[in-house]
Amino acid sequence: METESFIIELFCRVDDQIGAEEREPLAKLCPSEIVTLGMLFALKSQGNRQFYRWCSREWRHLFPRLPERTRLFRLFAKYRQLTDEFFATLGLFGVADTIGLELLHPYREGRSATQIGRKGLSNHRWFVGVKLCILVNHLGLPVAWECREGNVADKDFQQYVADFAGESIVFVDSGFHAAAGDRPNIVICKKGERNQRMVVETLNSILTGGVILKRLYHRTWEALSAHIGYALALVCLLAQWHWERHPDDNFRALSVAQFRL
């Protein structure tokens, strides 16, 4: 699919989902255009200056009222809540896991009082950044997420998972186990148990190599939350788009590789 055709169809799919959102009287872009650009930013996996140059140089005819760069990224943060409309629903069971997002080189830790990254442990290695907890359904599609400092333990996300009590059981690894007791809807799985949990590993692979969410550079929680929200919403949208193009895929493989720009 050509890039221009992809962007147009992406906008149409976004507008079908949130087209009812009202446009502010003095706004240059409608909410659907902002969310589409936010998803393109997540998919392009570049810095904000590189992305804005690419968008302004190549696609100004699709977004003729594109605002100034810093204004555009403030709009991404302002309309981040709209990304929740693209998330999947929880089925009979869900899977929760954490992934470390690197924000700083370890040598740069502590150089600024405004840094939001903290030193933590993820996947048996140290990093300086934040820890992202993702809840996915049985297909591997994101349902909800929460982000905290990198030094937070996995068990501290139990309350976040417990908010779905009564809706579904959630499979987690032993890192979520709390000595004080586990939430009733949480099922602690030892290594090698319940292969259904592997769907979250597929999602983690996409976030690492597909939308390049593993290493970021944001300095504020607002910008970081916006980037994560658009990236996860994009994965939901593109995965369902892929299934529509491949109706014979009975296993519903989670793939977004063919949509890379």
Side-chain angles (χ1 to χ4, degrees), residues 30-94:
C30 67
S32 297
E33 290 178 301
I34 296 171
V35 173
T36 299
L37 286 167
M39 289 184 175
L40 288 174
F41 171 62
L43 184 61
K44 193 66 175 172
S45 304
Q46 293 180 330
N48 55 12
R49 294 179 184 274
Q50 291 174 289
F51 170 76
Y52 188 83
R53 285 197 300 268
W54 171 79
C55 191
S56 178
R57 181 181 65 250
E58 303 291 340
W59 311 114
R60 176 72 71 168
H61 62 284
L62 295 180
F63 305 97
R65 303 190 67 187
L66 187 71
E68 187 268 336
R69 177 180 59 85
T70 57
R71 172 61 178 166
L72 176 64
F73 282 85
R74 287 196 298 269
L75 289 173
F76 288 167
K78 180 178 179 180
Y79 286 88
R80 199 272 302 172
Q81 298 296 335
L82 294 179
T83 60
D84 296 343
E85 300 293 331
F86 298 88
F87 287 169
T89 57
L90 201 58
L92 295 178
F93 72 89

Side-chain angles (χ1 to χ4, degrees), residues 14 47 52 74 79 127 140 152 157 163 168 180 184 194 204 213 230 242:
V14 169
Y52 188 83
R74 287 196 298 269
Y79 286 88
F127 73 103
V152 171
F157 290 99
D163 291 341
S168 175
R194 299 190 183 275
N204 288 345
L213 202 62
Y230 287 112
H242 168 74

Side-chain angles (χ1 to χ4, degrees), residues 9 27 70-71 84 86-87 109 117 153 158 176 244 255 260:
E9 186 165 351
T70 57
R71 172 61 178 166
D84 296 343
F86 298 88
F87 287 169
E109 183 187 12
Q158 273 214 17
F176 282 78
E244 291 177 11
S255 175
R260 285 287 296 161

